[in-house]
């Protein structure tokens, strides 16, 4: 299953039927996963060119510069793409909360066999 | 937009039209993102209960215990779920490569304005 898309150096994202790839954002400071969202081609290009993370909001069906309203923009340190080019990993500096709930990370609950439990912000 | 799903302690995954949520796996040793895959309800339950990461293979349309063939299983350290419960973050011990190309992480290429470039395995 290795082909040029998997191992070559040509950007060739495998967009899904909605024209999107998945984007995971980690905190450059500590490797914590902050959020997961989606990008269309325009959002990916703007992220790479501007140095600030852009996404495609599936709920609003609109381009979304993260933090444009709240001020909590994500300053891009690095952008990686995975083997089959349907996901990107954005390493970013995050001055404030990434989550709409006010938590630093969207992943503030642990899944256990007995349901969810809250976790501290730090890993 | 805060509701019980976003902030409560009841597991209530928001599966997509294919019955899947997204799963991002990071290396417990260094926070590197190893891979991104998908889980259906069974894969999520098996991951939490067995302590080894399970996914749903969209290409094979089958449950997939990561590493069952290669031996490179992912030993689960922690499982988190995000605010809208459509993504999980699996923190895992990875004894071997997570990527089918033989790379430790699937995210072994950087996206630049001029195309892709290879990166070292370490962040």
């Amino acid at each position: 299953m290795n082909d040029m898309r998997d191992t070559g150096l040509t950007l060739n994202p495998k967009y899904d039927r909605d024209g999107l790839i998945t984007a995971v954002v980690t905190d450059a400071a500590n490797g914590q996963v902050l959020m997961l969202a989606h990008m269309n081609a325009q959002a990916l290009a703007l992220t790479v060119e501007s140095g600030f993370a852009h996404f495609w909001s599936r709920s609003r069906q609109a381009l979304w510069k993260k933090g444009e309203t709240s001020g909590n923009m994500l300053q891009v340190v690095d952008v990686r793409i995975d083997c089959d080019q349907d996901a990107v990993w954005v390493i970013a500096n995050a001055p404030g909360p990434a989550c709409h709930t006010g938590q630093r990370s969207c992943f503030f609950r642990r899944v256990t066999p007995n349901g969810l439990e809250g976790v501290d912000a730090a890993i």
Side-chain angles (χ1 to χ4, degrees), chain A:
Chain A
M1 297 259 293
N2 289 8
D3 59 17
M4 283 306 295
R5 175 175 264 158
D6 286 22
T7 58
L9 294 180
T10 301
L11 179 65
N12 182 21
K14 191 163 72 183
Y15 296 106
D16 69 9
R17 54 193 151 179
D18 297 318
L20 303 174
I21 56 175
T22 306
V24 54
V25 181
T26 63
D27 189 334
N30 60 14
Q32 187 177 34
V33 176
L34 293 174
M35 60 179 290
L36 193 141
H38 298 82
M39 291 181 180
N40 61 3
Q42 186 184 10
L44 176 59
L46 284 169
T47 297
V48 172
E49 289 161 14
S50 75
F52 289 97
H54 291 68
F55 305 103
W56 177 259
S57 169
R58 295 184 300 178
S59 57
R60 291 185 288 112
Q61 289 287 299
L63 189 73
W64 167 37
K65 182 179 181 182
K66 172 70 181 171
E68 196 166 38
T69 307
S70 67
N72 296 319
M73 287 179 283
L74 294 169
Q75 185 199 356
V76 174
V77 174
D78 206 355
V79 181
R80 310 278 184 89
I81 196 157
D82 74 343
C83 47
D84 59 357
Q85 298 203 33
D86 66 356
V88 292
W89 169 19
V90 177
I91 304 172
N93 291 316
C99 186
H100 76 289
T101 64
Q103 299 269 356
R104 181 157 179 83
S105 164
C106 295
F107 294 84
F108 55 87
R109 293 169 297 182
R110 173 175 293 121
V111 185
T112 82
N114 303 314
L116 305 184
E117 58 184 37
V119 292
D120 292 335
I123 296 177

